[in-house]
Each structure stands twice: as structure tokens, then as C-alpha cells.
Amino acid sequence: MADLHVGNIACCLCGVPTSASTAYEGMCATCTGSQVDITSGIERSVEIEMCKGCERWFRNPGWAVAQLESAELLTLCLRKLRGLKHVRLVDAAWIWTEHHSRRLRVKLTVARDLVGASGSTYVTCLQQSLVVEYVVRTRNCDACNKVAAKDTWQAKVQVRQKTEHPRTLLALEQHMLKHQKSRVALREVKRVGDGLDFIFGRRQDAHRFALGVCALAPCKCKASSSLVSANAKTGTSNVRHVWAVEIAPLCRDDLVLLPKGVAPSLPPLVLVSRIGASLHLVDPASGAAAEVTAEQYWRNPFPPLGTKR
């Protein structure tokens, strides 16, 4: 059977000869791109909510952490956009906007397959770009609303260290700055006489934070809970949880006098070389080292004889 030859037709707009199998509604590829708008069903303006207290973004049913012009925030914005089901997303990129403008702009590149003449199997891929503007609306999340109310905390970690210098507490602050999850879960920090009180909204966050403190220094941790209120009809109760964490009053380069039996391989006068979940001691004369666990230290604690300031 002889192959059928498809003839050319003139474009209905510009008159350029075009193959009848590739023409879309009698138009050439150039005129199709200028006349057909595949982005007509996509929203150009969308509202997005941000908490003005913790600067988290609302993602139903909760709140998500995302930095400005990050990939996480771009994913959240695309999920709120309507009209992308009928096209194929090719690319998405941020367009810089002023931070105080409360506007986010995203440039999208979408594509769609257009079938040629009736009965034709040839498909033309049309690609177009558009700019979507997101208007940022601010309100308080549930956690920030509880912070604004008085005496509504659920979990607290009381960190205490009986020493003259707060070097361990400063190291704890630097550790929190490196971990974004701890900063988000933390509601409030209160300064007290010998340490800090860290207030959390959930018991799991406070428990995780207390374990993190015990990994930074030899600590003695005690957990307690108290019943605030209870509802017999619904079977719910309001319970407050408190972790009392006492940090050993030792820092690096402190001179200590070891009690008998703590480290038999070392002389009585040693230096603290490193602080972690356990104490690392070193003899400055011979260079011998030993490790004292937190359990061994709190069984027979010893204060520093001299400290570095």
C-alpha cells in the first residue's frame, strides 16, 4: 500500500505554508504560541498565611517551618495554586521582592500537548511562562496564642548549674542556635538565679531537649508531673511536666581534686580536658587520661579547685 502524502496548508493568520498534520486549528506553530493561552486557568494572585510570632507558614492543618525563597516554601506555594492540573509544570523560580512588601513572586514555566488536525496523531508541545504573586497575610498560630495567654505552658525544662561562670549555659545557647527544631518548639526562656527555664508547648519537645542537655555535660535529671485540671465527662486532663536538670559545676581546663576510687589511674590533682556526656580528665605531668561517667560523678561529686575565666 502506498504511503499517503500530507499536503501543506496556508496558516489562517500569517499565510505561512504549514503541514496539515501539524497545524492546530489551521495555525502554524508561531501563531499557535501567540494565540493559544494555556495559562488562562492558573491563578495569578494567591493568599498565603504566616504567623507573625514564630514566622511559620500555614499548611493545613498545621504550621510548617520554611525560610524565605527556599525550596520548602516554594513547594508550599505551589500546593496552594489552582489550575496546574491541566498543564505540566516545567520550572518554578523565585523573583526577588522586598521583604517588607508582604509579597512573594514566583515565575512558572508550564507546558501542554496540543493535538493537530482532526484524526491526526501529531502532537505539538506548547510551553509558556507566567508570574504568580502571593500576598502574605499574618496572624498568630495556636502556639503563639498560648504564649500570649498567661500561665498556659505544658512542659518545662529547668536547667541549673551552681557555678560562678555561665560558660556551659552559653554553650547550650550556641547548641540551640544550630538546631532549628529546638528553636521552633521552644516558646519562652526565663532567666532564674542559677540557670534558665525553657518552656515548651509539648511534652515530647521538652523531653527531647532534656536529653540533648544531658549529652552536652554530665547532668542529673529528674522528671515530675502535676495534674492541673481534669474533665470526667470527656476523659481529658491537663497535666504539666517538669524536668529538673542539674549540670555539673565543671568546665574545660578546671583544676579538680579527685576523691579516692574515682579514677585510680590518675593522681589526685588533674585537669578537665573535655566536657561531654562524661568528664575527660588528664594528668598535666604525665599526660595520662581517664574518663568519668555522669553516674560515677554524681555518686561522688567533687567541686573545682580552680577555674579559668
Side-chain angles (χ1 to χ4, degrees):
M1 183 177 180
D3 295 337
L4 297 178
H5 176 70
V6 180
N8 294 336
I9 61 173
C11 176
C12 62
L13 295 180
C14 62
V16 174
T18 306
S19 176
S21 60
T22 62
Y24 178 76
E25 296 183 358
M27 294 181 292
C28 62
T30 304
C31 294
T32 301
S34 61
Q35 296 296 322
V36 179
D37 186 12
I38 62 175
T39 65
S40 58
I42 303 176
E43 295 179 318
R44 297 300 199 277
S45 180
V46 185
E47 289 189 359
I48 187 170
E49 293 181 320
M50 182 187 70
C51 177
K52 58 185 178 181
C54 59
E55 295 186 354
R56 292 187 295 174
W57 303 87
F58 180 70
R59 184 177 61 186
N60 194 24
W63 297 80
V65 180
Q67 299 294 330
L68 287 176
E69 298 186 2
S70 62
E72 294 79 7
L73 183 57
L74 183 60
T75 303
L76 192 148
C77 292
L78 293 178
R79 287 181 179 179
K80 297 182 69 67
L81 188 61
R82 297 179 181 178
L84 292 178
K85 294 183 179 180
H86 305 289
V87 296
R88 186 172 63 255
L89 183 62
V90 177
D91 186 31
W94 290 106
I95 299 177
W96 183 85
T97 55
E98 186 67 33
H99 176 68
H100 301 286
S101 64
R102 297 297 183 183
R103 296 293 187 274
L104 301 176
R105 303 184 70 191
V106 180
K107 182 180 179 180
L108 302 179
T109 302
V110 296
R112 195 171 112 185
D113 296 331
L114 300 178
V115 182
S118 178
S120 174
T121 59
Y122 188 86
V123 177
T124 302
C125 181
L126 184 60
Q127 182 172 304
Q128 294 179 350
S129 300
L130 73 154
V131 176
V132 180
E133 185 177 75
Y134 291 85
V135 181
V136 180
R137 305 296 183 189
T138 58
R139 66 183 178 96
N140 281 342
C141 62
D142 297 337
C144 292
N145 284 332
K146 289 183 179 180
V147 172
K150 294 183 179 180
D151 205 24
T152 58
W153 58 272
Q154 297 294 325
K156 179 191 294 186
V157 179
Q158 298 175 339
V159 181
R160 301 291 185 268
Q161 186 182 29
K162 298 178 181 179
T163 180
E164 297 180 358
H165 48 80
R167 281 190 286 170
T168 305
L169 297 180
L170 294 177
L172 179 61
E173 180 184 2
Q174 295 299 322
H175 176 75
M176 290 188 59
L177 293 176
K178 294 180 181 179
H179 294 75
Q180 180 69 20
K181 292 183 179 180
S182 299
R183 285 192 293 166
V184 172
L186 184 63
R187 289 188 177 179
E188 188 179 359
V189 180
K190 293 183 178 180
R191 184 72 187 227
V192 294
D194 296 331
L196 299 171
D197 285 350
F198 298 89
I199 299 176
F200 295 84
R202 298 192 309 166
R203 176 183 176 275
Q204 297 87 340
D205 298 331
H207 185 208
R208 190 182 303 111
F209 180 77
L211 293 179
V213 175
C214 294
L216 292 177
C219 299
K220 181 171 59 175
C221 184
K222 182 180 179 181
S224 62
S225 60
S226 60
L227 180 64
V228 178
S229 61
N231 192 336
K233 294 183 179 179
T234 59
T236 59
S237 60
N238 184 12
V239 181
R240 289 181 174 178
H241 305 272
V242 178
W243 281 264
V245 181
E246 184 178 354
I247 302 176
L250 298 175
C251 291
R252 194 174 66 174
D253 299 333
D254 284 354
L255 179 65
V256 295
L257 177 62
L258 295 179
K260 292 183 179 180
V262 175
S265 61
L266 296 179
L269 286 176
V270 293
L271 292 176
V272 180
S273 61
R274 188 163 62 89
I275 293 288
S278 59
L279 290 174
H280 296 265
L281 307 176
V282 63
D283 181 12
S286 62
E291 181 179 351
V292 178
T293 63
E295 183 180 357
Q296 292 174 343
Y297 173 81
W298 289 109
R299 191 183 302 122
N300 194 2
F302 45 89
L305 293 180
T307 182
K308 179 182 178 181
R309 300 197 179 190

